[in-house]
Amino acid sequence: MTFKRRLVAQLSRPSGWAAPWMARLLDHFNQKQVRRAIAHLAPAPGGRILELGFGGGVSLPLLLDAVGEGGVVFGADPSAEMIRRARRRQRRALAAGRLELVEAGVSALPWPDDHVDGVMSVNTVYFWPDLEAGLAGLRRLLRPGGRLVLSIGDPKELEEMGFAEAGFRTLTAAQYVEALTGAGFADAEVRAHDDPMEGTCVVGTSP
Ligand SMILES: C[S@@+](CC[C@H](N)C(=O)[O-])C[C@H]1O[C@@H](n2cnc3c(N)ncnc32)[C@H](O)[C@@H]1O
């Protein structure tokens, strides 16, 4: 396997000896993007928020702070190593019942309908096996009026990194807006940022 393919495989599911390094790299390089996604999600104190594919988990303390003592953060990631890392680093929030973590991807989320007020997912939609089904699942989990924020990198850069070649999705933000609208989300729109490190967000509201 080439270095590029190995890197893309690690980005899509950090595993093995490289996983702790990958987690640190993700947290370092994607921190600005994560903060922007949280700003667009605007979690309220007491809120219930799902983060899908949290990777290194830099977002988790930020979300926990935003929802405060009365809120709950739900985190899902299919990487066993990322779940282990988050369990280690967020012992207190887990013990207090303020954080729930599950080892699952977008297609196997275990929660009932209308479970959360907001969902965010940064740099994961490239890897979802079925975009339409994934969006339908998230819509089901969101209470009416709840917000979905997907944050993506520049599709051209992703293609240069070998994502498309490896079979992953490299759609534009406008194409994700179409997909959200097709899945029944209201007011789907792009929130672009000047700094490329902040990525681009696609936001929609559950009807
Ligand atoms: C590139 S990392 C991004 C991590 C973090 N959100 C960030 O931006 O730093 C992709 C993450 O998505 C997770 N992932 C892969 N396939 C997924 C899927 N089908 N559903 C949800 N998460 C997935 C991976 O395990 C990994 O932690």
Side-chain angles (χ1 to χ4, degrees):
M1 211 196 273
T2 62
F3 173 75
K4 210 170 173 187
R5 282 218 167 228
R6 270 179 219 269
L7 177 66
V8 171
Q10 280 295 329
L11 287 168
S12 69
R13 178 105 29 126
S15 64
W17 66 267
W21 299 101
M22 186 49 62
R24 276 180 222 153
L25 286 175
L26 289 168
D27 280 354
H28 178 75
F29 286 106
N30 297 339
Q31 201 174 137
K32 278 188 172 182
Q33 198 178 343
V34 162
R35 285 181 187 277
R36 271 295 191 178
I38 294 175
H40 290 304
L41 189 65
R48 296 165 65 83
I49 299 296
L50 164 64
E51 183 176 14
L52 178 62
F54 51 80
V58 70
S59 51
L60 297 174
L62 302 173
L63 288 171
L64 284 162
D65 272 358
V67 299
E69 295 291 327
V72 186
V73 175
F74 300 87
D77 198 296
S79 159
E81 279 83 352
M82 297 302 97
I83 293 287
R84 262 200 295 277
R85 175 182 165 93
R87 284 198 194 289
R88 229 179 21 247
R89 292 160 67 97
Q90 301 300 337
R91 280 200 197 99
R92 254 205 242 158
L94 284 163
R98 299 180 54 223
L99 176 65
E100 192 177 313
L101 296 171
V102 300
E103 187 182 326
V106 66
S107 327
L109 300 174
W111 298 289
D113 293 5
D114 300 344
H115 193 61
V116 293
D117 306 310
V119 175
M120 67 174 251
S121 200
V122 180
N123 291 317
T124 76
V125 68
Y126 331 125
F127 312 118
W128 296 4
D130 181 333
L131 179 60
E132 212 176 302
L135 289 173
L138 296 183
R139 213 191 112 186
R140 180 187 69 71
L141 284 181
L142 273 166
R143 64 154 173 81
R147 186 176 289 177
L148 170 67
V149 177
L150 297 180
S151 177
I152 58 166
D154 178 350
K156 279 200 197 106
E157 267 178 32
L158 296 173
E159 279 169 20
E160 280 162 22
M161 283 174 72
F163 273 53
E165 220 174 284
F168 298 127
R169 194 171 287 110
T170 55
L171 301 183
T172 62
Q175 287 172 311
Y176 284 115
V177 165
E178 260 177 56
L180 259 69
T181 304
F185 283 90
D187 307 321
E189 62 179 17
V190 177
R191 307 266 175 93
H193 312 117
D194 292 335
D195 180 351
M197 295 303 282
E198 294 180 338
T200 300
C201 287
V202 178
V203 178
T205 304
S206 179

